Amino acid sequence: MHHISRSFSKAGWRVGFLSAPIGVPHLLGAGGDASERCASSRMGGSRDPDSAVWHFVPFAPLPWGVSPIFARRSYVALAWLSARPGIRRALRGAGLLQPDFACADHFLHEGLLKAADPRISAFRRADNAAGFPGALSDFSQREADFARRSDLTIVTNCNSAQELAEKGVPHTLLVENGLLLDRFRTQRPSPTEYASDGRPVIVFVGAADARLDHGAILRAVSARSHYLWTFIGPFEGEFARRLQGAGALLPGPIPHDRLAGYLQHARVGIVPFSQTNATNLIRQVSSLKVFEYAASGLPIVGTRGCLYPNDLPVPLAICDSEQQFIDAIDRFVVAGRPAPPSIDAFDRYDWPQRLRPLFDWLGPRLDG
């Protein structure tokens, strides 16, 4: 949603971005970015000088992690009711109360839309929330209810549209995932972690969630210790400790303006989703990281199950087993980096292009 917000701003909209709320665990210091997010909440929001997007982190005692009790309908409704005055006060101060358009990407965040009171509300379904560990048995129904209450439901792929149609949400707008291409147009310096190591870099960007095959990843890292396996994102807990113990590099979340350097100087980008667990989650994934790898000139090795573009201008190996996955990485490392495609070949994946169907949908409704 950060990328979409920036693209709306670039198109001339006055934009506010409200992140997922902080809760009591964040106030107690839980989470790698707790102090930064709590500071943003106390400030009442701030405007990014580069994108002109106003950013605010609200406080709401909502479920954080696996919290079944606090994810119940009645509790979530009370949590948003208590948070609404503070959110409306911040939006009013920024001149963003009652906007023309507001979008949330999770049904648990519908309270943000109600607080904003927009002319047009939208639900962007980027993931299957009901499929993640800790989801309650009614999550699927609650998600469909939210979609029906919204003026517009946005999906990122046809599999997601099909599932919503089966739940009684027949009308959706397809807006495929993309990337902010400007961040990949210039060559960035190599990270110091790479330069001081010297091994070929195998890189992953994303979260260590239930969709990844943790066991297969650990076995690959151990089997190919002559590669520098780099996992960029919020990796914490036992899985992170085991990766580090096997010699992997975990730099944590990397700011978007520095991410290109970590990708441009790697050798292979990987998409190591599980082929046995969370299959319904994965079949609805159209991964942003694939576009970022490709725009950096990386060959890509992924597991079968998620959706890959069929016209990427870089080599792509889709694998059916752990051994195929490792063998494909080996082949790409031995072959060396391919000649990078022209960055103009990625224009069709740029977020302003991807968002055209949404802008076209909004235009006549706002003009009227």
Side-chain angles (χ1 to χ4, degrees), residues 1-259:
M1 292 288 278
H2 284 93
H3 304 322
I4 294 175
S5 297
R6 294 176 71 96
S7 297
F8 265 77
S9 180
K10 190 174 181 179
W13 289 61
R14 194 152 51 93
V15 179
F17 181 88
L18 276 67
S19 77
I22 58 170
V24 173
H26 296 96
L27 298 180
L28 298 176
D33 58 352
S35 59
E36 179 183 347
R37 300 187 72 222
C38 289
S40 175
S41 184
R42 287 192 297 269
M43 288 171 57
S46 60
R47 196 169 299 279
D48 177 57
D50 295 327
S51 65
V53 174
W54 178 79
H55 182 266
F56 176 58
V57 182
F59 173 83
L62 286 165
W64 190 62
V66 182
S67 307
I69 294 175
F70 301 114
R72 293 175 179 170
R73 288 178 186 263
S74 56
Y75 181 85
V76 171
L78 286 173
W80 279 120
L81 188 63
S82 68
R84 189 175 301 174
I87 296 172
R88 289 180 64 84
R89 184 166 53 250
L91 289 170
R92 187 179 293 110
L96 291 168
L97 193 62
Q98 296 182 317
D100 289 323
F101 175 67
C103 180
D105 62 1
H106 198 295
F107 71 88
L108 288 175
H109 296 161
E110 184 178 5
L112 289 174
L113 299 187
K114 291 182 177 179
D117 190 20
R119 286 177 60 188
I120 296 174
S121 66
F123 167 38
R124 179 176 179 265
R125 188 183 193 258
D127 289 308
N128 175 15
F132 282 93
L136 300 187
S137 59
D138 67 349
F139 269 24
S140 180
Q141 184 60 50
R142 289 163 69 179
E143 182 182 66
D145 291 344
F146 177 35
R148 282 189 287 269
R149 286 192 295 270
S150 301
D151 298 312
L152 172 66
T153 299
I154 301 167
V155 294
T156 60
N157 57 72
C158 294
N159 288 346
S160 185
Q162 179 182 349
E163 179 168 321
L164 285 175
E166 292 168 356
K167 295 177 181 178
V169 185
H171 303 297
T172 56
L173 180 69
L174 177 63
V175 179
E176 296 177 285
N177 281 332
L179 80 163
L180 288 176
L181 192 56
D182 285 348
R183 289 177 172 160
F184 298 88
R185 290 189 183 279
T186 58
Q187 188 72 13
R188 305 301 175 94
S190 177
T192 55
E193 302 99 317
Y194 291 2
S196 62
D197 188 280
R199 289 175 290 173
V201 176
I202 314 301
V203 68
F204 170 82
V205 180
D209 60 32
R211 294 172 293 191
L212 298 188
D213 192 329
H214 292 197
I217 292 169
L218 286 166
R219 287 187 288 273
V221 173
S222 298
R224 295 294 186 271
S225 58
H226 52 286
Y227 300 152
L228 178 59
W229 297 82
T230 302
F231 296 88
I232 298 171
F235 279 67
E236 300 174 345
E238 179 63 21
F239 184 42
R241 287 190 288 273
R242 293 182 68 185
L243 282 172
Q244 289 176 317
L249 172 65
L250 274 65
I254 298 296
H256 291 295
D257 58 352
R258 292 174 49 211
L259 179 61

